[in-house]
Amino acid sequence: MDLVSMTSPATMDMLKHLKGREELLLRLVELSVTLNSTLDLEELLQLITATATDVLGCEAASILLLDERNPRLYFAAATGSDPARLAEIPVPIDNSLAGTIFRTNQPLILNDADQDPRHFPLVAEHIEFKVKTLLGVPMPIKDQTMGVLEAVNKHNGSFNESDAALLSVIAAHAAIAINNARLLKSRQQALEKVRAMNEVRNNFLALASHELRTPLGIIIGYATFLQSNSSGESTDHAGRVLTAASQMRTLLDQMNNLTMLQTDEMLLRKLQLPVQDILHFALDEIKYTAARRDLQLVLAFQEEPILINVDPEKTILALVNLLNNAIRFSPEKSEITIGAVEQGRQVMLWVQDRGVGIPVDKLHKVFEEFYQVEVPNTRQYGGLGIGLTIAKGIIEGQGGSIWAESEGKGRGATFKILLPKV
């Protein structure tokens, strides 16, 4: 006699029950894993309703979510129904079965749903679906309820408390997954909006830079002509126009460089050359500006060549931006130090001023585009606030790093750069 023939009917029923519970638990684990790995909202909604229908052995399941703009529920998904048609049906929070579940935050079992006065017949009429038995549970997220998960028309028998407990487990997992998918979707939409705004801004900067360059060139040409062919007060006026126009051209160049950096259109052509050459070229660019403010430029680097592999033109531009920043914020007759030293397999460059300094909590922000430490309405030093942004983009684009150091307001600032050595 084998073991099976010796087993009583009661024992067989218990084994089948245990096997059924094991399969159910496995199914719930699989659902949880799938929900946590799926971030597409529509796919999630269909998966939840399909699983609820299958596990509970019913005709259909649906998800109703709170419309945050209006005090009502709406169908987000349902098995065997067109989601678009269901979404057209507003379900009131008062005087509806789903609304009762949502308000009370409690499961509801109705095995004669069509006879209940709270039954909302508009749904059945709209999709030609008759609801006989219904089980609904709230979908909790933290201390709130985001919606209701319903199962309708059980195939064999009526819904019971075990079904309610099972659907509540599915609803709890589903609420977390839907919330995560919503957060991701919201973040993606925000990022897309930011990208669109950045594209508009970049297009504007490129257009402004291009369209203003031609008339500005004409102004500079005439101002130069007038300055060389006039005398006395007229020469002084022409010189002021020329200075203002040159400042405007510098701003346009910065706008153009920023646009190229942000659209990855700035080409870097690297060469091996002494860092001292880079420093001297940068100093030549700003020495007259520094002289007008009677600033002393102090050189702190050795004569023996230190080779680096960089784009000379762009690296000079980065250093010129740092030097112009130092000049702008330095008091007259003070010192600006520019230096370089080998540090293992890298070269450190720095620009140090004795100027207004940077608050310690703002050191990380000074490289953000258009950022100014000064309050906009009381600005004293001018500038667009993009020179440091451009310098950062150029240096980091060549595998280097750049940062600012300061002991605070009135204590000066030092900008340091690390670049790979050849």
Side-chain angles (χ1 to χ4, degrees):
M1 185 178 293
D2 59 24
L3 181 61
V4 173
S5 61
M6 294 174 61
T7 305
S8 67
T11 303
M12 289 293 292
D13 290 341
M14 185 179 69
L15 290 173
K16 288 180 181 179
H17 178 70
L18 290 174
K19 183 179 180 182
R21 287 184 62 85
E22 181 182 346
E23 291 175 351
L24 180 59
L25 289 172
L26 181 60
R27 185 70 185 274
L28 290 177
V29 170
E30 290 175 350
L31 174 65
S32 178
V33 171
T34 305
L35 289 179
N36 286 317
S37 61
T38 305
L39 291 173
D40 181 85
L41 185 56
E42 296 304 319
E43 184 180 347
L44 271 174
L45 295 173
Q46 296 304 320
L47 174 64
I48 294 163
T49 54
T51 302
T53 302
D54 186 31
V55 170
L56 290 177
C58 59
E59 189 175 349
S62 59
I63 296 173
L64 296 94
L65 298 177
L66 175 66
D67 185 343
E68 296 181 351
R69 294 169 296 182
N70 299 291
R72 63 188 184 188
L73 300 170
Y74 69 94
F75 281 92
T79 51
S81 300
D82 182 2
R85 291 191 67 192
L86 282 172
E88 297 171 357
I89 309 169
V91 179
I93 293 179
D94 296 319
N95 302 318
S96 71
L97 294 173
T100 300
I101 298 165
F102 181 84
R103 284 186 291 104
T104 61
N105 200 32
Q106 294 292 326
L108 182 64
I109 300 173
L110 287 175
N111 289 312
D112 52 354
D114 55 342
Q115 302 301 316
D116 194 288
R118 296 167 296 182
H119 178 57
F120 192 58
L122 182 61
V123 178
E125 295 170 3
H126 194 73
I127 62 174
E128 299 178 355
F129 183 89
K130 184 174 179 60
V131 177
K132 301 172 184 176
T133 59
L134 179 143
L135 166 62
V137 297
M139 299 177 65
I141 181 71
K142 297 180 180 177
D143 57 346
Q144 297 180 332
T145 302
M146 70 158 50
V148 174
L149 177 59
E150 291 182 342
V152 296
N153 299 347
K154 188 165 184 178
H155 292 306
N156 297 316
S158 302
F159 290 113
N160 54 40
E161 295 295 335
S162 296
D163 294 327
L166 179 58
L167 193 61
S168 294
V169 172
I170 296 174
H173 286 290
I176 295 171
I178 291 172
N179 188 59
N180 290 341
R182 279 178 164 180
L183 291 174
L184 178 64
K185 186 176 181 179
S186 176
R187 184 185 177 201
Q188 289 173 334
Q189 290 174 340
L191 288 173
E192 186 59 36
K193 186 175 181 180
V194 170
R195 278 194 290 267
M197 292 175 63
N198 283 339
E199 185 176 351
V200 171
R201 185 199 58 192
N202 290 339
N203 289 340
F204 169 76
L205 291 176
L207 180 63
S209 177
H210 175 75
E211 293 298 325
L212 292 175
R213 197 172 296 277
T214 299
L216 193 58
I218 295 172
I219 293 172
I220 291 174
Y222 274 112
T224 303
F225 175 78
L226 290 172
Q227 188 180 43
S228 60
N229 290 276
S230 60
S231 59
E233 190 174 343
S234 297
T235 303
D236 182 54
H237 291 331
R240 292 184 181 182
V241 172
L242 189 58
T243 298
S246 297
Q247 291 174 343
M248 185 67 176
R249 184 169 62 182
T250 298
L251 293 178
L252 290 179
D253 288 339
Q254 287 187 332
M255 289 164 59
N256 187 55
N257 288 328
L258 179 63
T259 302
M260 287 193 294
L261 274 174
Q262 294 180 333
T263 56
D264 295 326
E265 293 180 4
M266 180 172 282
L267 299 177
L268 296 171
R269 299 179 176 87
K270 293 186 178 183
L271 298 173
Q272 292 186 13
L273 73 168
V275 69
Q276 289 89 339
D277 291 355
I278 299 288
L279 298 176
H280 282 301
F281 279 122
L283 288 166
D284 286 343
E285 289 277 339
I286 57 89
K287 62 183 180 183
Y288 295 112
T289 306
R292 284 201 297 268
R293 303 201 61 208
D294 202 14
L295 296 171
Q296 183 180 355
L297 300 175
V298 179
L299 310 184
F301 49 86
Q302 66 186 48
E303 293 185 6
E304 184 179 349
I306 305 172
L307 292 180
I308 56 174
N309 186 31
V310 296
D311 182 309
E313 181 182 350
K314 304 300 188 301
T315 308
I316 290 169
L317 172 61
L319 285 168
V320 167
N321 285 348
L322 295 184
L323 287 164
N324 278 329
N325 183 76
I327 291 170
R328 183 180 298 116
F329 293 102
S330 292
E332 293 186 1
K333 299 182 180 180
S334 62
E335 290 184 352
I336 294 176
T337 301
I338 181 168
V341 66
E342 295 181 77
Q343 287 194 349
R345 302 182 65 178
Q346 294 179 306
V347 179
M348 175 176 282
L349 295 79
W350 68 89
V351 174
Q352 183 180 41
D353 64 62
R354 307 292 193 276
V356 298
I358 305 170
V360 176
D361 61 337
K362 299 293 190 297
L363 287 172
H364 65 289
K365 294 181 67 68
V366 295
F367 294 100
E368 295 178 4
E369 57 192 78
F370 304 115
Y371 177 78
Q372 294 277 2
V373 175
E374 298 177 278
V375 178
N377 294 333
T378 59
R379 290 183 60 198
Q380 176 183 352
Y381 298 100
L384 285 179
I386 60 177
L388 297 180
T389 307
I390 293 169
K392 178 181 175 67
I394 291 172
I395 296 303
E396 292 184 348
Q398 301 182 99
S401 57
I402 181 171
W403 67 95
E405 296 178 358
S406 178
E407 294 182 3
K409 190 174 180 180
R411 306 293 296 275
T414 303
F415 288 84
K416 294 184 176 180
I417 294 171
L418 276 178
L419 288 169
K421 191 173 64 173
V422 174

